[in-house]
Amino acid sequence: MIQASDLPSSWLPFLHAEFKKKYMIDLGDFLAHEKKNGKIIYPKIENIFEAFFLSSFENTKVVIIGQDPYHGEGQAHGISFSVNKGVTLPPSLVNIFKELKSDLGLLPPPHGNLSSWANQGVLLLNSVLTVEKDKAASHQKKGWEFFTDRAIEVLNEKKEHLVFLLWGGHAEKKGLIIDQKRHLVLKAPHPSPLSSYRGFFGCKHFSKTNDYLVAHDFNPIDWKIE
């Protein structure tokens, strides 16, 4: 159900070996078994690695780490925190847009599709890349964490002056391997309604990201979503 050829060519040299490892073979067997038994899995199969397609290895300069795909119908499309156009904004994304307005004065967009960020080199990477419909966290500890750890490890080792946005305890743990002498790591509470008022609001991560990128001769991210 998942294989190395599903990845875009820019990431393949760094991640193809993972598909031969036992954890990835077991993960593929698990997903195939779930599908055979009529389970609905999000996102669609063709969108599981969407984050890597939209943000090539060469272009990646910012990483935003999420946890699981949204588990509601029509929400998940392969990039963290984002939803397809026409889908009601999840509370966390509403709060992200509130901080964007506070930080940069950008009005909330009419939709929640963050592909325009990804196309500029923002890797919107969930720790776990699939989920069963209506069952949050149902595919945790099935193997995806090893794969996305490796992706972060490769970026940490092979790139310079990346910005990692770690929102919440889960993302912070995921980012422990990042060399903070080579990259900028910005931490804040998760943007969910339960924790956003504990420091996500006012973190100014969007402007801080662009300040760092410009200081290291990268183009800033245009955070505005049309």
Side-chain angles (χ1 to χ4, degrees):
M1 186 171 173
I2 50 174
Q3 50 193 351
S5 59
D6 294 332
L7 282 177
S9 58
S10 70
W11 286 92
L12 203 52
F14 308 104
L15 297 176
H16 75 278
E18 299 303 298
F19 289 82
K20 298 179 181 179
K21 294 182 179 180
K22 184 179 185 301
Y23 83 84
M24 202 63 162
I25 295 170
D26 290 345
L27 174 60
D29 290 343
F30 164 75
L31 293 173
H33 179 268
E34 293 291 278
K35 187 172 178 62
K36 182 179 179 181
N37 282 278
K39 302 290 181 64
I40 297 175
I41 296 173
Y42 295 140
K44 295 179 180 179
I45 295 174
E46 60 267 26
N47 294 135
I48 289 176
F49 297 107
E50 187 73 2
F52 298 98
F53 278 94
L54 294 181
S55 184
S56 69
F57 179 81
E58 293 82 4
N59 290 341
T60 294
K61 50 190 177 184
V62 180
V63 182
I64 301 179
I65 300 175
Q67 191 162 346
D68 296 276
Y70 297 122
H71 55 83
E73 184 174 358
Q75 291 181 309
H77 64 114
I79 58 179
S80 62
F81 294 104
S82 179
V83 292
N84 281 307
K85 292 181 180 179
V87 175
T88 300
L89 300 186
S92 293
L93 189 53
V94 170
N95 287 338
I96 289 171
F97 289 157
K98 284 181 180 179
E99 176 58 23
L100 199 59
K101 183 173 187 258
S102 173
D103 188 7
L104 298 176
L106 298 178
L107 295 176
H111 63 84
N113 190 311
L114 306 181
S115 295
S116 65
W117 294 0
N119 290 331
Q120 298 176 72
V122 181
L123 180 67
L124 294 151
L125 182 66
N126 278 318
S127 175
V128 176
L129 300 188
T130 58
V131 70
E132 183 182 341
K133 178 183 178 181
D134 297 332
K135 292 188 178 181
S138 51
H139 288 186
Q140 286 187 8
K141 299 181 180 179
K142 300 297 183 182
W144 280 125
E145 292 89 346
F146 296 113
F147 180 78
T148 51
D149 277 349
R150 180 55 185 158
I152 294 168
E153 186 178 39
V154 165
L155 288 168
N156 177 61
E157 294 173 351
K158 304 293 184 183
K159 306 270 286 187
E160 296 282 348
H161 306 308
L162 297 178
V163 182
F164 290 85
L165 304 186
L166 308 182
W167 297 337
H170 179 87
E172 288 189 23
K173 290 178 183 177
K174 193 81 171 170
L176 287 175
I177 63 171
I178 301 165
D179 183 352
Q180 298 190 39
K181 294 180 180 178
R182 296 173 60 193
H183 308 289
L184 176 64
V185 176
L186 297 175
K187 302 177 183 179
H190 195 276
S192 75
L194 295 174
S195 56
S196 55
Y197 287 94
R198 299 175 191 163
F200 178 78
F201 290 140
C203 69
K204 298 188 180 299
H205 280 187
F206 302 104
S207 59
K208 289 177 180 178
T209 293
N210 280 351
D211 289 345
Y212 182 85
L213 292 175
V214 170
H216 291 88
D217 298 321
F218 292 105
N219 290 326
I221 303 298
D222 180 1
W223 298 105
K224 185 178 181 180
I225 298 172
E226 298 294 343

